């Protein structure tokens, strides 16, 4: 049974930083894609960043240069370092897991496993 548990969300002022973590268990594919997505109230879920089992990454245009996705395979943990946060980054952030090709699909709908989310609020 795949479990993804996010942590690290909170409230921060604009310009600040947060690091999100996602503890993964039960996902046994050697080739995989892990990602972060976010959804603000009344808006479509948005692609934030992904990383595959080879370490290749993708980023949404709105976060490029500010956010960094990484993983610690020994700890089965995914991270999202968020710097220079803006009020428009306010959203529920979700961790997701899929097959390696999902990293290049362009659609969050292809990811089969999701965490419960962690809230990030950025005030101006």
């Amino acid at each position: 049974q795949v479990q993804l548990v996010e942590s690290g969300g909170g409230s921060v002022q604009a310009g600040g930083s947060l690091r999100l973590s996602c503890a993964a268990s039960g996902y046994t594919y050697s080739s995989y894609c892990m990602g972060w997505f976010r959804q603000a109230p009344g808006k479509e879920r948005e692609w934030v960043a992904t990383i595959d089992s080879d370490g290749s990454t993708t980023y949404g245009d709105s976060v490029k240069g500010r956010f960094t996705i990484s993983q610690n395979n020994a700890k089965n943990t995914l991270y999202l370092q968020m710097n220079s946060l803006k009020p428009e980054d306010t959203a529920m952030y979700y961790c997701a897991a899929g097959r390696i090709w999902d990293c290049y699909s362009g659609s969050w709908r292809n990811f089969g496993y999701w965490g419960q989310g962690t809230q990030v609020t950025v005030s101006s």
Side-chain angles (χ1 to χ4, degrees):
Q1 181 180 358
V2 177
Q3 276 197 314
L4 302 172
V5 180
E6 302 98 333
S7 61
S11 297
V12 64
Q13 288 194 324
S17 299
L18 282 174
R19 188 175 83 153
L20 306 183
S21 299
C22 173
S25 62
Y27 196 75
T28 59
Y29 292 109
S30 58
S31 297
Y32 60 81
C33 176
M34 299 287 293
W36 290 98
F37 302 83
R38 66 187 184 187
Q39 189 166 18
K43 292 191 175 181
E44 174 80 5
R45 189 162 295 192
E46 180 184 8
W47 187 293
V48 175
T50 64
I51 187 167
D52 70 19
S53 43
D54 293 329
S56 297
T57 58
T58 72
Y59 292 93
D61 288 341
S62 61
V63 307
K64 282 180 182 176
R66 300 187 298 123
F67 290 11
T68 303
I69 190 170
S70 62
Q71 59 188 345
N72 184 324
N73 291 331
K75 295 183 178 180
N76 292 326
T77 303
L78 180 73
Y79 302 100
L80 184 69
Q81 178 66 44
M82 305 186 294
N83 298 328
S84 302
L85 282 161
K86 304 175 181 180
E88 50 264 44
D89 294 318
T90 296
M92 185 71 79
Y93 283 71
Y94 297 92
C95 171
R99 302 304 300 272
I100 190 168
W101 48 80
D102 293 331
C103 271
Y104 309 99
S105 68
S107 174
W108 60 266
R109 293 178 174 84
N110 293 326
F111 288 75
Y113 302 97
W114 292 85
Q116 81 289 351
T118 186
Q119 178 68 37
V120 171
T121 302
V122 184
S123 58
S124 57

